[in-house]
Amino acid sequence: MRYFWIHAAWIPGVAFLFGFQGKGSFHSVFFLFHVLTFPTQTRRSYREISATADAYCARVRLSCEGFPVRSVDMQRATDNITIRQGDTAIIRCYVDDKVSRVAWLNRSNIIFAGQDKWSLDPRVDLVTKGQLEYSLRIQKVDVYDEGSYTCSIQTKQQPKTSQVYLIVQVPASIYKVSEDITVNEGSNVTLSCLASGRPDPAITWRLLNPSAEPLEGEEYLDIIGIMRNQAGRYECKASNDVATPDVKYVNVVVNYPPTIKKTQSSETPVGRMGMLQCDATAVPTPEFEWYRDEKRLSNAQGLNIQILGTTTILMIANVTEEDYGNYTCVASNRLGVQNASVFLYRPGTGRDINGSACVSQSLWLLLASFACLFFKC
């Protein structure tokens, strides 16, 4: 029976020959592993190796069917080793004193033949303990190291192979994330977070408010009609359980028109200092103005206006009868305007300092208060 040799890989003193049974039906795969008397200084051609192998088979009266290769036995699963990128991988292979030849291969590339190193990669070396271990060590493993590694052993009885598949895992890494943005309330917003890793990382989002609950989104987080309470710091986390998750942040500023949240009226006797206060929320920070009737007030004639962030205070240094009444606080930014009334009261008029009406036990006191407002008493 004729065999067609389709591959030959030469090692000093060792030839690997792969053959397929003939007549076009390549259904049997055999492996011939034998010591050939080739000088280590000379590399023989494919025809020389094949002819020498045929002659050797005829001389020792072998059928040249070779020996079954365990690594291609589909009933035997290949062992897997999982290693993280940058770590050191040790691929174990154990031998005994009956071994005459041994070699390491990566796919079809020879790495070591005996103690002779064929690979030019300085990261690769052997780990040996006497004659019992012939393991391969790869330092600073990278993704291109992933693949099948074969330890081929020649014994007195038959060749054996031990095959291991090296899986390289890469920690999750975010390589692109949205920049900080400023939008108007009601706008649609899309945040992006792209990450790489092996296996593919899972991406999650959170808004770091007090609850910090997970949001529905992966690489892209869509926010339809964003509201002011959705402003803040968004966290993107990429994880694949290989190493500590990678985390990036996006700050989202939401602009909205002013809303006056609180006013503080004052009940001040004549001759004392009166203080009126107005608090507003807005983004951007609001600008404030004070009015008495239609007249805009300024820092003059015993008046002092202070603005502290989102709070403004109107101070009246020496209250007179003419100062009692209704004042208007106006808060504005480029998105809108809002105003509110603040009152300076004469003591005993039945109003609280927040400007809300108190329940009066006497009807005439309530009417007198309204009359004072309208006639500027």
Side-chain angles (χ1 to χ4, degrees):
M1 181 177 294
R2 181 69 176 172
Y3 280 82
F4 300 91
W5 303 104
I6 64 168
H7 176 76
W10 179 88
I11 303 177
V14 180
F16 296 89
L17 300 178
F18 296 84
F20 295 88
Q21 192 167 350
K23 297 185 179 180
S25 57
F26 300 137
H27 61 275
S28 298
V29 181
F30 299 100
F31 180 90
L32 176 64
F33 182 120
H34 195 80
V35 178
L36 299 179
T37 57
F38 293 149
T40 56
Q41 299 82 3
T42 306
R43 295 197 178 188
R44 296 297 181 93
S45 67
Y46 163 77
R47 289 186 178 180
E48 290 176 303
I49 295 174
S50 181
T52 306
D54 289 340
Y56 178 82
C57 290
R59 184 170 69 253
V60 298
R61 298 182 180 179
L62 291 175
S63 64
C64 285
E65 290 182 355
F67 302 98
V69 180
R70 294 178 61 190
S71 62
V72 296
D73 184 357
M74 300 307 293
Q75 296 180 354
R76 179 178 180 269
T78 301
D79 294 331
N80 290 339
I81 293 180
T82 300
I83 194 74
R84 185 172 60 183
Q85 184 185 41
D87 290 350
T88 297
I90 298 180
I91 308 174
R92 302 289 181 183
C93 183
Y94 296 98
V95 297
D96 55 34
D97 55 2
K98 298 180 181 179
V99 172
S100 57
R101 293 289 186 273
V102 64
W104 270 110
L105 298 90
N106 177 14
R107 303 177 184 88
S108 60
N109 299 319
I110 301 169
I111 305 174
F112 275 94
Q115 298 297 321
D116 296 330
K117 184 177 180 180
W118 282 52
S119 172
L120 299 178
D121 194 336
R123 302 172 304 129
V124 180
D125 63 350
L126 286 176
V127 176
T128 59
K129 293 182 180 179
Q131 297 180 347
L132 301 180
E133 183 174 359
Y134 186 76
S135 298
L136 186 68
R137 177 166 54 197
I138 307 173
Q139 301 181 51
K140 297 180 180 178
V141 170
D142 211 336
V143 292
Y144 51 77
D145 295 314
E146 184 168 292
S148 179
Y149 291 80
T150 303
C151 178
S152 294
I153 301 169
Q154 173 65 37
T155 66
K156 296 178 181 179
Q157 287 79 24
Q158 62 181 15
K160 300 178 181 179
T161 63
S162 174
Q163 191 175 73
V164 175
Y165 195 91
L166 182 65
I167 299 173
V168 179
Q169 292 186 333
V170 181
S173 175
I174 298 173
Y175 62 87
K176 185 177 181 181
V177 66
S178 293
E179 296 181 353
D180 296 345
I181 60 170
T182 299
V183 297
N184 292 338
E185 190 173 39
S187 301
N188 296 334
V189 176
T190 298
L191 303 180
S192 63
C193 182
L194 306 180
S196 61
R198 300 177 69 180
D200 292 336
I203 298 176
T204 56
W205 288 92
R206 293 192 305 166
L207 172 57
L208 299 182
N209 54 21
S211 62
E213 296 179 356
L215 303 174
E216 293 184 2
E218 295 181 358
E219 291 184 341
Y220 298 95
L221 176 66
D222 294 320
I223 308 172
I224 307 301
I226 192 169
M227 303 300 293
R228 63 190 69 180
N229 61 352
Q230 293 175 292
R233 196 180 193 198
Y234 285 77
E235 175 194 81
C236 169
K237 179 186 291 185
S239 57
N240 60 1
D241 297 328
V242 176
T244 302
D246 193 15
V247 178
K248 293 289 187 294
Y249 301 95
V250 182
N251 293 312
V252 177
V253 176
V254 179
N255 292 330
Y256 58 91
T259 300
I260 295 178
K261 294 292 186 180
K262 180 182 178 182
T263 60
Q264 185 80 24
S265 296
S266 177
E267 192 175 50
T268 308
V270 172
R272 299 290 184 89
M273 177 179 287
M275 297 180 62
L276 305 178
Q277 182 175 325
C278 181
D279 297 338
T281 60
V283 178
T285 302
E287 297 179 355
F288 290 100
E289 295 175 346
W290 284 95
Y291 288 85
R292 177 78 186 275
D293 297 329
E294 299 297 328
K295 181 183 178 181
R296 181 180 176 182
L297 304 179
S298 60
N299 291 321
Q301 298 175 354
L303 299 178
N304 183 13
I305 299 174
Q306 293 187 359
I307 299 175
L308 305 172
T310 58
T311 298
T312 180
I313 300 174
L314 173 63
M315 293 185 293
I316 305 170
N318 188 10
V319 173
T320 64
E321 290 288 342
E322 289 76 16
D323 293 326
Y324 292 123
N326 180 22
Y327 293 78
T328 302
C329 166
V330 178
S332 64
N333 65 11
R334 59 184 178 83
L335 297 179
V337 179
Q338 191 174 49
N339 59 68
S341 294
V342 190
F343 298 92
L344 179 63
Y345 297 114
R346 182 186 296 108
T349 57
R351 298 273 180 163
D352 65 13
I353 61 174
N354 291 319
S356 59
C358 294
V359 177
S360 176
Q361 297 179 354
S362 303
L363 181 60
W364 68 267
L365 184 59
L366 181 60
L367 295 175
S369 300
F370 280 107
C372 184
L373 293 175
F374 286 106
F375 295 100
K376 300 180 182 179
C377 56

